Amino acid sequence: MSAGGPSRRVLLRAGAGAAALTGLGWGAGSLYADSQQEARGAADPERPVRIGYLPITDASPLLVAHANGYYEDAAVPVADPVLFRSWSSLSEAFVAGKVDAIHLLMPMALYMRYGLRADVRITAWNHTNGSALTVRPDVAEIADLAGESVAIPAWWSVHNVVVQKLLRSAGLTPVMRENPSRARRTVALLPMAPSDMLPALNNGVIGGYVVADPFNAAAEARQVGHIHRFLGDVWRDHACCVTMMRGELLRNRPAHAAGFMDALVRAQAWARQNRPETAALLAAGYLPQPRPVIEQALTYSAAAHGDALHHPDWHGERLDFRPYPYASFTEELVRAMQDTVVDAPAGFLDGLDPALVHRELVDDTLVTRSIEKAGGLAAFGMTGTTRTEEISA
């Protein structure tokens, strides 16, 4: 791949393989049509850094940094963040060079790098936890989902990885293309845009969904579903979305990339200490959900959701912001993805060395520096740069 931008081969591969990301199609032609023009401006030091995001609390650091003026403080020109309605549209824009920095499901980041050979890097964790399995009011146990469909945001998502662990632990079998059967104890997985999940649950199209907040909090607020299990209670302090930057930004505008990371880490430190205020900022034009729902998603009470927590000391109900990207998580995620059922091309996982993936895909140089400027690891509840993964379905 040239330093000037994505090659035609990469862009056409992205169009052809788009269903692997979410089950929704991309247009290869639209990817290539504007890519060369976008690439020509990548090195322009005056061009604002363009941010893309989905309307979920996972995007909080990117948005808080904008709302609080942290990018400006770091001397980084930034355009107003652009809201996308689906992972497919956000990913298409990122691969095509229409946005420079995004939050993205970490398994999707692996697919971009190794399935599409895109010139992208993970530069930090955007958040930890923040997702849940929400089910209809009549579903009391996971076993009750036999014969039902469960919506996931994407095939390549931590949500898909973790919900399959939950289903199998309950003696259920996840399936892709066949009708679910109560007799055979199968559950059909259905990729769906997060904004479509709550209506589908309310209309009885699905038995549950696994997704980021505030869609879980919204189901409870509208009394159309309840949180059955927080994903942070299954995989302790897991990364869901990561911060990704395009290679052109890192290579051609290193000062802006470094300043951008300073602002993002500063926003994470502020958001974890100012949750109601974060909800107010997000509700003021960034997210379409009402402030009470967003605040509920940021301030879940463990006492009020005890049934959704098997490990209350993990605080898996709590969206948190711990920007350092642990190698142990990358490695365990690669192994988990290799065992996850997907209706998508998965050949890129064959023979992948988990440790090598972390070294090639994750660049922790900027975030390590930014964490030190923000007060060190302790400011984010971290004690070191290594850890042991804890998973309990």
Side-chain angles (χ1 to χ4, degrees):
M1 180 180 299
S2 69
S7 68
R8 178 179 178 84
R9 179 178 300 174
V10 167
L11 291 165
L12 292 179
R13 187 187 296 122
L21 292 172
T22 60
L24 304 174
W26 292 2
S30 66
L31 278 171
Y32 187 68
D34 300 324
S35 64
Q36 299 307 309
Q37 180 178 349
E38 298 292 344
R40 283 193 292 270
D44 182 359
E46 301 302 321
R47 192 182 75 175
V49 176
R50 300 157 304 174
I51 299 168
Y53 73 99
L54 255 62
I56 51 181
T57 52
D58 293 7
S60 297
L62 294 166
L63 304 177
V64 166
H66 182 262
N68 283 352
Y70 294 163
Y71 298 123
E72 184 178 1
D73 291 347
V76 180
V78 171
D80 289 343
V82 178
L83 186 153
F84 292 82
R85 293 291 179 180
S86 68
W87 290 114
S88 60
S89 58
L90 175 63
S91 302
E92 175 183 348
F94 187 54
V95 171
K98 296 179 182 296
V99 290
D100 307 299
I102 62 173
H103 68 107
L104 189 70
L105 300 166
M106 187 161 173
M108 196 176 288
L110 268 73
Y111 176 74
M112 274 193 181
R113 171 64 179 81
Y114 294 99
L116 301 181
R117 300 292 179 184
D119 181 21
V120 297
R121 298 296 294 273
I122 293 173
T123 54
W125 282 8
N126 206 61
H127 70 98
T128 58
N129 302 334
S131 298
L133 170 63
T134 292
V135 296
R136 287 196 316 256
D138 61 295
V139 176
E141 304 291 340
I142 288 185
D144 296 338
L145 290 171
E148 300 280 358
S149 295
V150 171
I152 58 174
W155 290 115
W156 297 126
S157 66
V158 170
H159 309 83
N160 188 31
V161 170
V162 174
V163 79
Q164 289 194 30
K165 291 181 181 292
L166 285 171
L167 293 174
R168 292 191 177 102
S169 71
L172 304 178
T173 301
V175 296
M176 301 177 297
R177 301 182 184 182
E178 60 188 87
N179 292 327
S181 166
R182 184 171 296 275
R184 291 186 291 109
R185 298 180 62 76
T186 60
V187 177
L189 300 175
L190 179 64
M192 186 178 293
S195 57
D196 294 332
M197 291 183 180
L198 194 149
L201 185 70
N202 189 34
N203 294 331
V205 175
I206 56 177
Y209 57 72
V210 55
V211 74
D213 267 308
F215 294 100
N216 305 293
E220 292 195 326
R222 299 185 188 184
Q223 298 183 332
V224 300
H226 64 93
I227 294 173
H228 180 78
R229 189 84 180 271
F230 289 101
L231 298 197
D233 190 61
V234 180
W235 193 331
R236 185 174 188 174
D237 291 331
H238 66 277
C240 178
C241 282
V242 291
T243 302
M244 297 196 72
M245 295 186 188
R246 290 181 52 79
E248 292 96 333
L249 178 61
L250 292 166
R251 287 190 303 272
N252 301 333
R253 301 167 64 185
H256 285 167
F260 188 94
M261 187 56 59
D262 285 347
L264 184 82
V265 170
R266 182 182 176 190
Q268 292 199 27
W270 186 87
R272 72 191 310 266
Q273 298 297 330
N274 298 276
R275 293 172 181 270
E277 294 83 358
T278 296
L281 288 181
L282 297 178
Y286 292 106
L287 300 187
Q289 298 88 359
R291 177 177 172 176
V293 170
I294 299 172
E295 185 167 340
Q296 167 71 2
L298 293 174
T299 59
Y300 280 123
S301 165
H305 290 84
D307 291 343
L309 295 170
H310 294 188
H311 309 282
D313 58 310
W314 289 9
H315 291 291
E317 79 284 359
R318 186 171 60 199
L319 175 74
D320 210 347
F321 305 102
R322 299 183 176 186
Y324 185 79
Y326 288 97
S328 59
F329 179 80
T330 304
E331 295 169 14
E332 186 61 33
L333 179 63
V334 171
R335 289 188 284 267
M337 288 172 64
Q338 291 170 334
D339 294 332
T340 300
V341 172
V342 294
D343 189 12
F348 73 94
L349 290 169
D350 294 344
L352 275 187
D353 180 332
L356 181 62
V357 169
H358 186 80
R359 293 195 298 270
E360 291 182 340
L361 179 60
V362 180
D363 184 346
D364 64 9
T365 305
L366 295 180
V367 72
T368 298
R369 168 183 166 276
S370 296
I371 288 171
E372 287 304 310
K373 292 178 69 174
L377 293 171
F380 302 92
M382 298 181 290
T383 58
T385 56
T386 61
R387 74 178 199 181
T388 300
E389 300 305 309
E390 297 180 73
I391 303 173
S392 176

